[in-house]
Amino acid sequence: MTFGTTCFQAMTTTEPPSTRSIPALRRLGYLRTLSRACLALSLTAGLSTVLRAEAPNPSDWILTWSDEFNGPSGSSPDPAKWKFDIGGSGYGNHELESYTNRPVNAHLQDGHLIITALKETHTGPDGITQPYTSARILTKGLFSQPYGRFEARMKLPTGKGIWPAFWLLGSNIDSDPWPKSGEIDIMENIGNPTEVHSTLHGPGYSGAHPITAKFTLPAGEAVNTAFHLYSVEWTPNDIKFFVDDHLITHRTPADLPPGTHWVFDHPFFIILNLATGGDWPGNPDHTTTFPQQMVIDYVRVYKPNQTQPSQTPIAASTPKSLQ
């Protein structure tokens, strides 16, 4: 979800994870049981395990920020954690939604955040009228962090012109306008239920020429039929993107175009949004149904515990319902 016009050159990687995924709180007993079951299945059926057959060590990572969306059903996102972008400017991508702060476009429900795109004509406070409404929430001015692991467990909408995203922007964007501030797109989807994209934007590699990768989910899985965990593990000069326990791609300064520089060395804030239309996904057509809903189970941010370095990859974080 770029700050400007987006055009992607996709690639697929099947490299296995090289760093430890984050254990969620209170998941030890569950993972031990599930890991033993997976290990037994692997030994008897000759299959490679999906979950790693070991219990996580919570001391490897420190939770620094989270939102479990456990507030009253029907309420808006916690204003101590989230702000709203409002208006229908198209955000440099010629999008067709007017973002609002109305509960009908973003509300909590049964332990989830639900962002809803509606087909309705709406004029925002900026005076711009658009044929759709939706929501875009962000932690700018409330929370930002350099490095660590940022993850969100979500079930995504799909359809022509539907564009859900979970991404980060440099907190220095007001003083160093995009793309100098940097952008880390942890997950974007443009209507294909079996594909997601992860992308870096910076000066000289943004807009029509980002550094991007496409990941195809394993056979039988889809972004709109089940929750998946989308995450980034970010250290100095090193960024890894994941879906569940699958590595999407691994980026370092060596991946940058000649003459450009790495701008991922300062705090970034979080954005969740559901766009409608735009240069990359195209606009909705007669096949697109409304309302469309992006359902977020949680967002969590960690930093590494420097006294307990991680070495072995393990399973992804456990959903709240299994903790």
mmCIF file of all heavy atoms in Angstrom, residues 12-47:
data_model
loop_
_atom_site.group_PDB
_atom_site.id
_atom_site.type_symbol
_atom_site.label_atom_id
_atom_site.label_comp_id
_atom_site.label_asym_id
_atom_site.label_seq_id
_atom_site.Cartn_x
_atom_site.Cartn_y
_atom_site.Cartn_z
ATOM 1 N N THR A 12 8.459 -15.199 -6.659
ATOM 2 C CA THR A 12 8.085 -16.157 -5.639
ATOM 3 C C THR A 12 9.338 -16.793 -5.080
ATOM 4 O O THR A 12 10.265 -17.102 -5.807
ATOM 5 C CB THR A 12 7.172 -17.242 -6.218
ATOM 6 O OG1 THR A 12 6.031 -16.598 -6.792
ATOM 7 C CG2 THR A 12 6.723 -18.214 -5.153
ATOM 8 N N THR A 13 9.351 -16.998 -3.757
ATOM 9 C CA THR A 13 10.471 -17.669 -3.127
ATOM 10 C C THR A 13 9.955 -18.789 -2.254
ATOM 11 O O THR A 13 8.892 -18.685 -1.675
ATOM 12 C CB THR A 13 11.309 -16.688 -2.292
ATOM 13 O OG1 THR A 13 12.365 -17.406 -1.660
ATOM 14 C CG2 THR A 13 10.485 -16.000 -1.225
ATOM 15 N N THR A 14 10.704 -19.864 -2.161
ATOM 16 C CA THR A 14 10.306 -20.990 -1.328
ATOM 17 C C THR A 14 11.360 -21.278 -0.265
ATOM 18 O O THR A 14 11.378 -22.349 0.314
ATOM 19 C CB THR A 14 10.102 -22.247 -2.188
ATOM 20 O OG1 THR A 14 11.302 -22.518 -2.919
ATOM 21 C CG2 THR A 14 8.951 -22.062 -3.161
ATOM 22 N N GLU A 15 12.214 -20.328 0.001
ATOM 23 C CA GLU A 15 13.256 -20.506 1.009
ATOM 24 C C GLU A 15 12.622 -20.702 2.378
ATOM 25 O O GLU A 15 11.673 -20.000 2.733
ATOM 26 C CB GLU A 15 14.144 -19.266 1.030
ATOM 27 C CG GLU A 15 15.276 -19.329 2.043
ATOM 28 C CD GLU A 15 16.073 -18.039 2.061
ATOM 29 O OE1 GLU A 15 15.791 -17.163 1.249
ATOM 30 O OE2 GLU A 15 16.969 -17.932 2.901
ATOM 31 N N PRO A 16 13.086 -21.655 3.178
ATOM 32 C CA PRO A 16 12.491 -21.873 4.498
ATOM 33 C C PRO A 16 12.860 -20.751 5.454
ATOM 34 O O PRO A 16 13.820 -20.019 5.236
ATOM 35 C CB PRO A 16 13.128 -23.200 4.951
ATOM 36 C CG PRO A 16 14.432 -23.244 4.228
ATOM 37 C CD PRO A 16 14.170 -22.598 2.895
ATOM 38 N N PRO A 17 12.063 -20.581 6.527
ATOM 39 C CA PRO A 17 12.375 -19.536 7.498
ATOM 40 C C PRO A 17 13.758 -19.723 8.089
ATOM 41 O O PRO A 17 14.221 -20.841 8.291
ATOM 42 C CB PRO A 17 11.287 -19.721 8.566
ATOM 43 C CG PRO A 17 10.192 -20.451 7.867
ATOM 44 C CD PRO A 17 10.862 -21.322 6.855
ATOM 45 N N SER A 18 14.413 -18.604 8.382
ATOM 46 C CA SER A 18 15.753 -18.683 8.950
ATOM 47 C C SER A 18 15.828 -18.071 10.335
ATOM 48 O O SER A 18 16.876 -18.060 10.948
ATOM 49 C CB SER A 18 16.744 -17.948 8.033
ATOM 50 O OG SER A 18 16.359 -16.605 7.859
ATOM 51 N N THR A 19 14.720 -17.550 10.824
ATOM 52 C CA THR A 19 14.705 -16.985 12.170
ATOM 53 C C THR A 19 13.497 -17.501 12.919
ATOM 54 O O THR A 19 12.536 -17.971 12.337
ATOM 55 C CB THR A 19 14.654 -15.444 12.136
ATOM 56 O OG1 THR A 19 13.481 -15.049 11.424
ATOM 57 C CG2 THR A 19 15.880 -14.873 11.475
ATOM 58 N N ARG A 20 13.539 -17.358 14.207
ATOM 59 C CA ARG A 20 12.489 -17.889 15.076
ATOM 60 C C ARG A 20 11.251 -17.009 15.015
ATOM 61 O O ARG A 20 11.306 -15.810 15.221
ATOM 62 C CB ARG A 20 13.014 -17.945 16.510
ATOM 63 C CG ARG A 20 12.007 -18.470 17.523
ATOM 64 C CD ARG A 20 12.608 -18.447 18.918
ATOM 65 N NE ARG A 20 13.714 -19.366 19.033
ATOM 66 C CZ ARG A 20 13.590 -20.599 19.518
ATOM 67 N NH1 ARG A 20 12.412 -21.063 19.866
ATOM 68 N NH2 ARG A 20 14.644 -21.366 19.618
ATOM 69 N N SER A 21 10.102 -17.609 14.728
ATOM 70 C CA SER A 21 8.845 -16.892 14.826
ATOM 71 C C SER A 21 8.489 -16.710 16.293
ATOM 72 O O SER A 21 8.971 -17.420 17.163
ATOM 73 C CB SER A 21 7.736 -17.651 14.108
ATOM 74 O OG SER A 21 8.036 -17.740 12.733
ATOM 75 N N ILE A 22 7.580 -15.774 16.560
ATOM 76 C CA ILE A 22 7.384 -15.331 17.929
ATOM 77 C C ILE A 22 6.351 -16.164 18.660
ATOM 78 O O ILE A 22 5.256 -16.354 18.172
ATOM 79 C CB ILE A 22 6.918 -13.871 17.961
ATOM 80 C CG1 ILE A 22 7.864 -13.030 17.148
ATOM 81 C CG2 ILE A 22 6.832 -13.345 19.384
ATOM 82 C CD1 ILE A 22 9.280 -13.173 17.542
ATOM 83 N N PRO A 23 6.680 -16.658 19.853
ATOM 84 C CA PRO A 23 5.662 -17.328 20.649
ATOM 85 C C PRO A 23 4.687 -16.324 21.226
ATOM 86 O O PRO A 23 5.084 -15.324 21.809
ATOM 87 C CB PRO A 23 6.476 -18.005 21.759
ATOM 88 C CG PRO A 23 7.706 -17.174 21.900
ATOM 89 C CD PRO A 23 8.000 -16.645 20.517
ATOM 90 N N ALA A 24 3.390 -16.561 21.066
ATOM 91 C CA ALA A 24 2.397 -15.711 21.699
ATOM 92 C C ALA A 24 2.331 -16.031 23.179
ATOM 93 O O ALA A 24 2.776 -17.072 23.642
ATOM 94 C CB ALA A 24 1.033 -15.937 21.060
ATOM 95 N N LEU A 25 1.716 -15.136 23.946
ATOM 96 C CA LEU A 25 1.607 -15.328 25.381
ATOM 97 C C LEU A 25 0.700 -16.521 25.685
ATOM 98 O O LEU A 25 -0.277 -16.772 24.998
ATOM 99 C CB LEU A 25 1.033 -14.066 26.026
ATOM 100 C CG LEU A 25 1.824 -12.785 25.751
ATOM 101 C CD1 LEU A 25 1.139 -11.619 26.414
ATOM 102 C CD2 LEU A 25 3.252 -12.924 26.241
ATOM 103 N N ARG A 26 1.022 -17.265 26.708
ATOM 104 C CA ARG A 26 0.213 -18.360 27.227
ATOM 105 C C ARG A 26 0.008 -19.467 26.215
ATOM 106 O O ARG A 26 -1.011 -20.138 26.212
ATOM 107 C CB ARG A 26 -1.156 -17.840 27.708
ATOM 108 C CG ARG A 26 -1.058 -16.733 28.740
ATOM 109 C CD ARG A 26 -2.428 -16.319 29.229
ATOM 110 N NE ARG A 26 -3.304 -15.921 28.140
ATOM 111 C CZ ARG A 26 -3.242 -14.743 27.545
ATOM 112 N NH1 ARG A 26 -2.359 -13.854 27.925
ATOM 113 N NH2 ARG A 26 -4.079 -14.447 26.567
ATOM 114 N N ARG A 27 0.980 -19.747 25.336
ATOM 115 C CA ARG A 27 0.777 -20.762 24.319
ATOM 116 C C ARG A 27 1.620 -22.013 24.536
ATOM 117 O O ARG A 27 1.613 -22.915 23.724
ATOM 118 C CB ARG A 27 1.089 -20.194 22.937
ATOM 119 C CG ARG A 27 2.541 -19.841 22.743
ATOM 120 C CD ARG A 27 2.743 -19.115 21.439
ATOM 121 N NE ARG A 27 2.597 -19.974 20.286
ATOM 122 C CZ ARG A 27 3.611 -20.482 19.610
ATOM 123 N NH1 ARG A 27 4.840 -20.237 19.984
ATOM 124 N NH2 ARG A 27 3.408 -21.233 18.552
ATOM 125 N N LEU A 28 2.358 -22.095 25.652
ATOM 126 C CA LEU A 28 3.327 -23.171 25.805
ATOM 127 C C LEU A 28 2.677 -24.553 25.808
ATOM 128 O O LEU A 28 3.084 -25.435 25.070
ATOM 129 C CB LEU A 28 4.122 -22.979 27.093
ATOM 130 C CG LEU A 28 5.133 -21.815 27.061
ATOM 131 C CD1 LEU A 28 5.719 -21.632 28.442
ATOM 132 C CD2 LEU A 28 6.220 -22.088 26.052
ATOM 133 N N GLY A 29 1.656 -24.737 26.638
ATOM 134 C CA GLY A 29 1.046 -26.046 26.730
ATOM 135 C C GLY A 29 0.425 -26.483 25.426
ATOM 136 O O GLY A 29 0.555 -27.623 25.001
ATOM 137 N N TYR A 30 -0.262 -25.552 24.775
ATOM 138 C CA TYR A 30 -0.879 -25.862 23.482
ATOM 139 C C TYR A 30 0.163 -26.269 22.459
ATOM 140 O O TYR A 30 0.004 -27.270 21.766
ATOM 141 C CB TYR A 30 -1.661 -24.644 22.991
ATOM 142 C CG TYR A 30 -2.011 -24.740 21.533
ATOM 143 C CD1 TYR A 30 -3.048 -25.561 21.104
ATOM 144 C CD2 TYR A 30 -1.273 -24.020 20.598
ATOM 145 C CE1 TYR A 30 -3.358 -25.664 19.768
ATOM 146 C CE2 TYR A 30 -1.584 -24.131 19.264
ATOM 147 C CZ TYR A 30 -2.631 -24.947 18.843
ATOM 148 O OH TYR A 30 -2.917 -25.029 17.525
ATOM 149 N N LEU A 31 1.257 -25.540 22.359
ATOM 150 C CA LEU A 31 2.231 -25.845 21.317
ATOM 151 C C LEU A 31 2.956 -27.154 21.592
ATOM 152 O O LEU A 31 3.249 -27.905 20.674
ATOM 153 C CB LEU A 31 3.235 -24.705 21.185
ATOM 154 C CG LEU A 31 4.215 -24.879 20.031
ATOM 155 C CD1 LEU A 31 3.461 -24.981 18.708
ATOM 156 C CD2 LEU A 31 5.217 -23.758 19.988
ATOM 157 N N ARG A 32 3.223 -27.439 22.887
ATOM 158 C CA ARG A 32 3.865 -28.720 23.186
ATOM 159 C C ARG A 32 2.992 -29.878 22.697
ATOM 160 O O ARG A 32 3.473 -30.827 22.076
ATOM 161 C CB ARG A 32 4.107 -28.855 24.691
ATOM 162 C CG ARG A 32 5.216 -27.954 25.222
ATOM 163 C CD ARG A 32 5.606 -28.365 26.634
ATOM 164 N NE ARG A 32 6.568 -27.442 27.191
ATOM 165 C CZ ARG A 32 6.262 -26.481 28.027
ATOM 166 N NH1 ARG A 32 5.011 -26.302 28.402
ATOM 167 N NH2 ARG A 32 7.197 -25.682 28.508
ATOM 168 N N THR A 33 1.689 -29.790 23.013
ATOM 169 C CA THR A 33 0.783 -30.860 22.592
ATOM 170 C C THR A 33 0.703 -30.956 21.083
ATOM 171 O O THR A 33 0.800 -32.031 20.494
ATOM 172 C CB THR A 33 -0.626 -30.598 23.164
ATOM 173 O OG1 THR A 33 -0.549 -30.552 24.581
ATOM 174 C CG2 THR A 33 -1.581 -31.715 22.755
ATOM 175 N N LEU A 34 0.535 -29.823 20.418
ATOM 176 C CA LEU A 34 0.415 -29.821 18.970
ATOM 177 C C LEU A 34 1.715 -30.221 18.307
ATOM 178 O O LEU A 34 1.721 -30.938 17.302
ATOM 179 C CB LEU A 34 -0.021 -28.420 18.504
ATOM 180 C CG LEU A 34 -0.426 -28.290 17.032
ATOM 181 C CD1 LEU A 34 -1.539 -29.285 16.704
ATOM 182 C CD2 LEU A 34 -0.884 -26.868 16.746
ATOM 183 N N SER A 35 2.847 -29.807 18.872
ATOM 184 C CA SER A 35 4.127 -30.169 18.289
ATOM 185 C C SER A 35 4.360 -31.671 18.359
ATOM 186 O O SER A 35 4.863 -32.281 17.416
ATOM 187 C CB SER A 35 5.258 -29.425 19.003
ATOM 188 O OG SER A 35 5.151 -28.045 18.794
ATOM 189 N N ARG A 36 4.007 -32.276 19.513
ATOM 190 C CA ARG A 36 4.168 -33.729 19.624
ATOM 191 C C ARG A 36 3.305 -34.445 18.586
ATOM 192 O O ARG A 36 3.732 -35.426 17.975
ATOM 193 C CB ARG A 36 3.786 -34.191 21.035
ATOM 194 C CG ARG A 36 4.764 -33.727 22.116
ATOM 195 C CD ARG A 36 4.431 -34.364 23.453
ATOM 196 N NE ARG A 36 5.241 -33.798 24.506
ATOM 197 C CZ ARG A 36 4.757 -33.039 25.477
ATOM 198 N NH1 ARG A 36 3.475 -32.753 25.524
ATOM 199 N NH2 ARG A 36 5.560 -32.565 26.412
ATOM 200 N N ALA A 37 2.075 -33.948 18.393
ATOM 201 C CA ALA A 37 1.191 -34.578 17.414
ATOM 202 C C ALA A 37 1.764 -34.453 16.011
ATOM 203 O O ALA A 37 1.725 -35.395 15.215
ATOM 204 C CB ALA A 37 -0.201 -33.935 17.474
ATOM 205 N N CYS A 38 2.287 -33.282 15.688
ATOM 206 C CA CYS A 38 2.867 -33.083 14.357
ATOM 207 C C CYS A 38 4.108 -33.941 14.161
ATOM 208 O O CYS A 38 4.334 -34.478 13.075
ATOM 209 C CB CYS A 38 3.217 -31.609 14.157
ATOM 210 S SG CYS A 38 1.778 -30.551 13.991
ATOM 211 N N LEU A 39 4.920 -34.068 15.222
ATOM 212 C CA LEU A 39 6.110 -34.893 15.118
ATOM 213 C C LEU A 39 5.730 -36.347 14.900
ATOM 214 O O LEU A 39 6.333 -37.050 14.081
ATOM 215 C CB LEU A 39 6.956 -34.745 16.393
ATOM 216 C CG LEU A 39 8.254 -35.555 16.412
ATOM 217 C CD1 LEU A 39 9.145 -35.153 15.237
ATOM 218 C CD2 LEU A 39 8.978 -35.341 17.742
ATOM 219 N N ALA A 40 4.710 -36.822 15.616
ATOM 220 C CA ALA A 40 4.272 -38.201 15.436
ATOM 221 C C ALA A 40 3.767 -38.426 14.023
ATOM 222 O O ALA A 40 4.052 -39.443 13.398
ATOM 223 C CB ALA A 40 3.165 -38.532 16.445
ATOM 224 N N LEU A 41 3.008 -37.480 13.501
ATOM 225 C CA LEU A 41 2.518 -37.595 12.135
ATOM 226 C C LEU A 41 3.668 -37.635 11.153
ATOM 227 O O LEU A 41 3.662 -38.404 10.192
ATOM 228 C CB LEU A 41 1.589 -36.423 11.822
ATOM 229 C CG LEU A 41 1.007 -36.380 10.405
ATOM 230 C CD1 LEU A 41 0.133 -37.606 10.175
ATOM 231 C CD2 LEU A 41 0.203 -35.100 10.211
ATOM 232 N N SER A 42 4.685 -36.830 11.399
ATOM 233 C CA SER A 42 5.837 -36.792 10.505
ATOM 234 C C SER A 42 6.570 -38.125 10.490
ATOM 235 O O SER A 42 6.959 -38.628 9.446
ATOM 236 C CB SER A 42 6.785 -35.673 10.937
ATOM 237 O OG SER A 42 7.940 -35.684 10.164
ATOM 238 N N LEU A 43 6.728 -38.715 11.669
ATOM 239 C CA LEU A 43 7.482 -39.957 11.757
ATOM 240 C C LEU A 43 6.731 -41.120 11.125
ATOM 241 O O LEU A 43 7.329 -42.002 10.515
ATOM 242 C CB LEU A 43 7.785 -40.267 13.227
ATOM 243 C CG LEU A 43 8.762 -39.288 13.907
ATOM 244 C CD1 LEU A 43 8.862 -39.612 15.389
ATOM 245 C CD2 LEU A 43 10.129 -39.358 13.246
ATOM 246 N N THR A 44 5.392 -41.126 11.270
ATOM 247 C CA THR A 44 4.626 -42.260 10.775
ATOM 248 C C THR A 44 4.266 -42.130 9.313
ATOM 249 O O THR A 44 4.125 -43.130 8.615
ATOM 250 C CB THR A 44 3.329 -42.423 11.594
ATOM 251 O OG1 THR A 44 2.584 -41.202 11.492
ATOM 252 C CG2 THR A 44 3.643 -42.712 13.048
ATOM 253 N N ALA A 45 4.119 -40.908 8.818
ATOM 254 C CA ALA A 45 3.678 -40.724 7.430
ATOM 255 C C ALA A 45 4.783 -40.248 6.509
ATOM 256 O O ALA A 45 4.575 -40.091 5.314
ATOM 257 C CB ALA A 45 2.512 -39.732 7.390
ATOM 258 N N GLY A 46 5.965 -39.978 7.079
ATOM 259 C CA GLY A 46 7.073 -39.532 6.249
ATOM 260 C C GLY A 46 6.891 -38.121 5.742
ATOM 261 O O GLY A 46 7.410 -37.760 4.690
ATOM 262 N N LEU A 47 6.114 -37.300 6.450
ATOM 263 C CA LEU A 47 5.848 -35.937 6.013
ATOM 264 C C LEU A 47 6.771 -34.979 6.734
ATOM 265 O O LEU A 47 7.178 -35.217 7.868
ATOM 266 C CB LEU A 47 4.388 -35.568 6.323
ATOM 267 C CG LEU A 47 3.320 -36.449 5.671
ATOM 268 C CD1 LEU A 47 1.948 -36.041 6.174
ATOM 269 C CD2 LEU A 47 3.389 -36.319 4.164
#
